[in-house]
Amino acid sequence: MKVLIVGSGGREHAIAWACAKNKDVEKIWCAPGNAGIASLAECVAIGPMEFDKLVAFAKENQVDLTIVGMDDPLVGGIVDVFEAEGLRVFGPRKNAAILEGSKAFSKDLMKKYDIPTAAYTTVQSPEEAYEYLETAEFPLVLKADGLALGKGVLICENLEQAKDGVKEIMEDKKFGASGNQMVIEQFLEGREISVLSFVDGKTIRTMASAMDHKRAGDGDTGLNTGGMGNFSPSPFYTEEVDRFCCDHIYQKTVDAMAAEGRPFKGIIFFGLILTKDGPKVLEYNARFGDPEAQVVIPRLKNDMIEVINACIDGTLDQVDLQFSDDACLCVVLASDGYPVSYEKGFPISGLETFEGLEDEFVFHAGTKFNEKGEIVTNGGRVLAVTALAPTLQEARAKAYKATERVEFANKYMRHDIGHAIDEV
Ligand code: GLY
């Protein structure tokens, strides 16, 4: 079997790692990939939004299965384009990827189908937003409707901050057309948990829970990032929480999408918050999380290609999804200055110390080969150093120890990934 993966981050490295374990997989390509993915797959210089080139590549190379890791091509309709050409592809079609592509759509869906979420209103213009804010209660949350690299969500403590936010999103169009509409939402307090799931249009199989660390600085301070590290499972995702989410959130979401004529096949990522009134949905994503994939995929006992095929074929009800009892924790090594500005191109040492290990991994997020053939930094998030161990505490100690083996100029990381483990 020949597989093509679309994307270039740590998530796609973890996906490639899982695919490479399948004995029927003879060849993996990744477009565009990175220097770490290159140890498992041949990287091809085609961008994730270059659908025509990707289709031509898949046809020319007789690719049997394309797996799309990233949100932009999914929301842009890559799956429809591949399917129209008779190519087998994993991910939601455009009309289902809207679950992530439009916050207004997902909020309306939750309201219509009684899926627990924060109270909200949707506004179409800055004038409408300013008028609403005059009588609103604070704090509240502003969300640009469309994709915004995880940065289109602003928590506002007062009217002044909210007005600045409306200007940024709807007037200055900091996130482009994503700010044409905006959701204004009640601020919810509680612990956040990520639950990823495989979905085949009608059946859903949830994966092990995870907890992300979105802020750049220790103690959850500083700017929001794509994620500075995380761990799985979350000790706060109890059986009771799972039962509630199974009854009120997971299957209901899948059924709602089908009832709307938008059957969802692919990965639904539930961004949950445990409030005093019970679990609620903060957001949906239509793909694996990054770095959630890096801690959930290493725990997956099933052959991932088989699960993906079951999603495409609509036979997920026959799959018993299993996760190892080991815990997994990853620490992101970033470039100092991320997420604002940072330098790139620094050689990385110590990567070879992970070769052959089955409980410590280094998933590459932003790396490339320089002209000398050295692996160098090539992004804000550079590497996800990941460890498996019997307990979360042991996984944390192991992952942090492993970070000491990797060096590059301007290396930056948080030192408290997994702090919630001590608060159980
Ligand atoms: N880690 C959050 C995300 O992938 O959106």
Side-chain angles (χ1 to χ4, degrees), residues 11 212 214 226-227 230 269 283 285 287-292 381:
R11 164 182 51 210
D212 201 1
K214 290 203 176 78
N230 67 8
F269 167 153
E283 63 170 9
N285 294 311
R287 35 113 191 138
F288 277 106
D290 188 340
E292 281 83 354
R381 290 191 292 178

Short mmCIF file of all heavy atoms in Angstrom, two decimals, residues 11 212 214 226-227 230 269 283 285 287-292 381, ligand 1:
data_model
loop_
_atom_site.label_atom_id
_atom_site.label_comp_id
_atom_site.label_asym_id
_atom_site.label_seq_id
_atom_site.Cartn_x
_atom_site.Cartn_y
_atom_site.Cartn_z
N ARG A 11 2.23 16.65 14.29
CA ARG A 11 1.06 15.79 14.12
C ARG A 11 1.26 14.83 12.94
O ARG A 11 1.04 13.63 13.03
CB ARG A 11 -0.17 16.68 13.89
CG ARG A 11 -1.37 15.97 13.33
CD ARG A 11 -2.50 16.95 13.08
NE ARG A 11 -2.06 18.10 12.30
CZ ARG A 11 -2.58 19.31 12.40
NH1 ARG A 11 -3.57 19.54 13.21
NH2 ARG A 11 -2.11 20.31 11.66
N ASP A 212 -3.84 19.89 27.00
CA ASP A 212 -2.90 20.74 26.28
C ASP A 212 -2.40 21.88 27.19
O ASP A 212 -3.02 22.16 28.21
CB ASP A 212 -3.65 21.34 25.07
CG ASP A 212 -2.73 21.81 23.97
OD1 ASP A 212 -1.51 21.68 24.11
OD2 ASP A 212 -3.25 22.33 22.97
N LYS A 214 -1.64 25.63 26.31
CA LYS A 214 -1.66 26.53 25.15
C LYS A 214 -0.80 27.79 25.34
O LYS A 214 -0.34 28.37 24.37
CB LYS A 214 -3.10 26.96 24.86
CG LYS A 214 -3.95 25.81 24.31
CD LYS A 214 -5.13 26.34 23.51
CE LYS A 214 -5.94 25.24 22.88
NZ LYS A 214 -6.84 24.54 23.79
N GLY A 226 0.20 27.36 19.57
CA GLY A 226 -0.44 26.16 19.03
C GLY A 226 -0.47 25.04 20.05
O GLY A 226 -1.16 24.04 19.86
N GLY A 227 0.30 25.18 21.13
CA GLY A 227 0.40 24.12 22.16
C GLY A 227 1.86 23.90 22.50
O GLY A 227 2.67 23.65 21.61
N ASN A 230 1.76 18.51 26.04
CA ASN A 230 0.53 17.98 26.63
C ASN A 230 0.75 16.55 27.10
O ASN A 230 1.85 16.02 27.01
CB ASN A 230 -0.67 18.14 25.71
CG ASN A 230 -0.60 17.33 24.45
OD1 ASN A 230 0.30 16.49 24.30
ND2 ASN A 230 -1.54 17.53 23.58
N PHE A 269 -12.23 16.45 16.86
CA PHE A 269 -11.48 16.81 18.07
C PHE A 269 -12.45 17.65 18.90
O PHE A 269 -12.87 18.73 18.47
CB PHE A 269 -10.26 17.59 17.60
CG PHE A 269 -9.45 18.35 18.62
CD1 PHE A 269 -8.10 18.58 18.36
CD2 PHE A 269 -9.98 18.89 19.79
CE1 PHE A 269 -7.32 19.31 19.24
CE2 PHE A 269 -9.21 19.61 20.68
CZ PHE A 269 -7.88 19.82 20.40
N GLU A 283 -15.02 24.02 21.61
CA GLU A 283 -14.83 24.10 20.15
C GLU A 283 -14.70 22.71 19.57
O GLU A 283 -14.40 21.75 20.28
CB GLU A 283 -13.57 24.92 19.81
CG GLU A 283 -12.30 24.27 20.33
CD GLU A 283 -11.03 24.91 19.81
OE1 GLU A 283 -11.10 25.97 19.18
OE2 GLU A 283 -9.96 24.32 20.03
N ASN A 285 -12.68 20.67 16.36
CA ASN A 285 -11.74 20.71 15.24
C ASN A 285 -12.00 19.48 14.38
O ASN A 285 -12.53 18.47 14.89
CB ASN A 285 -10.29 20.70 15.73
CG ASN A 285 -9.97 21.98 16.50
OD1 ASN A 285 -10.25 23.08 16.04
ND2 ASN A 285 -9.42 21.84 17.69
N ARG A 287 -9.81 17.52 12.75
CA ARG A 287 -8.52 16.86 12.46
C ARG A 287 -7.88 16.52 13.80
O ARG A 287 -8.35 16.95 14.85
CB ARG A 287 -7.63 17.82 11.67
CG ARG A 287 -7.84 19.29 12.11
CD ARG A 287 -6.72 19.94 12.77
NE ARG A 287 -7.09 21.22 13.38
CZ ARG A 287 -6.69 21.60 14.55
NH1 ARG A 287 -5.92 20.82 15.28
NH2 ARG A 287 -7.04 22.76 15.06
N PHE A 288 -6.78 15.76 13.75
CA PHE A 288 -6.02 15.48 14.97
C PHE A 288 -5.50 16.81 15.54
O PHE A 288 -5.15 17.71 14.78
CB PHE A 288 -4.78 14.64 14.67
CG PHE A 288 -5.03 13.16 14.57
CD1 PHE A 288 -5.03 12.53 13.34
CD2 PHE A 288 -5.21 12.40 15.71
CE1 PHE A 288 -5.22 11.15 13.25
CE2 PHE A 288 -5.40 11.02 15.63
CZ PHE A 288 -5.42 10.41 14.40
N GLY A 289 -5.38 16.90 16.85
CA GLY A 289 -4.74 18.06 17.46
C GLY A 289 -3.24 17.97 17.31
O GLY A 289 -2.68 16.90 17.10
N ASP A 290 -2.60 19.10 17.45
CA ASP A 290 -1.14 19.16 17.43
C ASP A 290 -0.73 20.04 18.60
O ASP A 290 -1.00 21.25 18.56
CB ASP A 290 -0.68 19.77 16.10
CG ASP A 290 0.82 19.68 15.92
OD1 ASP A 290 1.52 19.52 16.92
OD2 ASP A 290 1.29 19.78 14.76
N PRO A 291 -0.21 19.52 19.70
CA PRO A 291 0.47 18.23 19.85
C PRO A 291 -0.36 17.10 20.46
O PRO A 291 0.24 16.13 20.94
CB PRO A 291 1.65 18.58 20.77
CG PRO A 291 1.12 19.66 21.66
CD PRO A 291 0.08 20.40 20.85
N GLU A 292 -1.70 17.14 20.43
CA GLU A 292 -2.46 16.02 20.99
C GLU A 292 -2.11 14.70 20.27
O GLU A 292 -2.01 13.65 20.91
CB GLU A 292 -3.97 16.27 20.86
CG GLU A 292 -4.54 17.21 21.90
CD GLU A 292 -4.37 18.68 21.56
OE1 GLU A 292 -3.71 18.99 20.56
OE2 GLU A 292 -4.89 19.52 22.30
N ARG A 381 7.48 26.22 16.69
CA ARG A 381 7.56 24.95 17.39
C ARG A 381 8.51 24.07 16.58
O ARG A 381 8.32 23.89 15.37
CB ARG A 381 6.18 24.31 17.51
CG ARG A 381 5.29 25.08 18.47
CD ARG A 381 4.02 24.33 18.80
NE ARG A 381 3.12 24.21 17.68
CZ ARG A 381 1.96 23.54 17.73
NH1 ARG A 381 1.59 22.93 18.83
NH2 ARG A 381 1.17 23.49 16.67
N1 GLY B 1 -3.48 21.78 20.23
C1 GLY B 1 -4.61 22.42 19.76
C2 GLY B 1 -4.95 22.21 18.35
O1 GLY B 1 -4.41 21.37 17.68
O2 GLY B 1 -5.81 22.91 17.83
#
